[in-house]
Amino acid sequence: MATAQTDTGRSNQKKRTRTAIVDAARVLIGAGSEVTMPEVARAALVSEATAYRYFPDLPSLIGEALAGVWPDPAEALQPVADSRDPVERVAYACEFLLRGILARQGGVRAMMAATIVRPDAESMRPGIRFGLIDHALAPLDGTLGVTDPDAFTQLKRSLAVVVGADALFTLTDQLGLTPDEAVASVVRTAKTLTEAAVRAAAVG
């Protein structure tokens, strides 16, 4: 009996510690702070060694922390739920994602840096953009998705390249755009790609 209670107590303590580490990472991400394992451990009031016992590397920790703060695509696109215009929906999804990235850029940048040096960790990135793009383009499922599935797939791929942190940070870090200018530029490009696909579908 005592052993069972002890095991339960240890299990609960491990859950609390894991939760504390993830919560600390989310707080740092939300504050726009640099996200490193030592900083997360300090904020969670645990040792760095303890943090690494629960998460073998930074990408696994950030991936879990980021996944818990993004709404699902349907919830995210609720303001345009009644719209059947894929261009409007894509524009909204694009701005929603980019504003979210800017708000969490400490964690996003840390994840990107980690996956660049460790390509095998790429799958740990949340991939929020793909769900948003699929949901935004839902009105085309029965049109372009049926008449030209290859073109529909290519549109999704093109948007995946344009709509994301990589493009956003290229515009801000390398081209010197302000965050607002960068967001507006990406949104315009996403709308142009979608408009072209819609026109092609109408002609076809």
Side-chain angles (χ1 to χ4, degrees):
M1 184 71 171
T3 300
Q5 290 178 339
T6 300
D7 289 345
T8 299
R10 287 175 179 166
S11 177
N12 289 338
Q13 180 58 47
K14 286 181 178 179
K15 288 178 182 177
R16 286 194 295 270
T17 301
R18 183 184 184 87
T19 298
I21 294 169
V22 174
D23 286 347
R26 285 178 183 157
V27 168
L28 289 174
I29 291 169
S33 306
E34 180 182 4
V35 182
T36 65
M37 200 64 95
E39 287 299 324
V40 171
R42 189 161 23 253
L45 302 179
V46 299
S47 69
E48 188 176 346
T50 296
Y52 274 114
R53 277 201 297 273
Y54 286 85
F55 296 94
D57 48 40
L58 192 59
S60 62
L61 170 57
I62 295 177
E64 183 167 327
L66 285 176
V69 298
W70 290 94
D72 64 57
E75 182 183 349
L77 271 62
Q78 186 58 41
V80 290
D82 294 334
S83 173
R84 300 302 297 167
D85 179 0
V87 177
E88 179 186 12
R89 291 169 63 90
V90 163
Y92 185 87
C94 182
E95 178 135 10
F96 174 87
L97 178 68
L98 299 183
R99 296 293 179 187
I101 289 171
L102 288 171
R104 305 171 178 91
Q105 64 175 298
V108 175
R109 287 178 181 275
M111 176 64 87
M112 291 174 67
T115 54
I116 286 173
V117 298
R118 276 193 52 202
D120 60 300
E122 179 67 27
S123 61
M124 296 180 187
R125 291 176 66 171
I128 308 299
R129 77 180 92 177
F130 304 115
L132 287 172
I133 289 169
D134 284 346
H135 200 74
L137 293 178
L140 294 179
D141 286 344
T143 55
L144 184 62
V146 173
T147 61
D148 196 340
D150 289 340
F152 193 33
T153 298
Q154 185 55 51
L155 172 60
K156 291 183 177 183
R157 289 173 179 167
S158 298
L159 288 173
V161 171
V162 171
V163 182
D166 317 68
L168 179 66
F169 293 146
T170 294
L171 293 172
T172 57
D173 299 356
Q174 298 182 14
L175 296 181
L177 272 64
T178 66
D180 285 344
E181 290 170 339
V183 170
S185 179
V186 176
V187 170
R188 278 196 303 272
T189 303
K191 288 175 65 177
T192 299
L193 287 169
T194 308
E195 286 168 349
V198 170
R199 282 199 303 271
V203 171

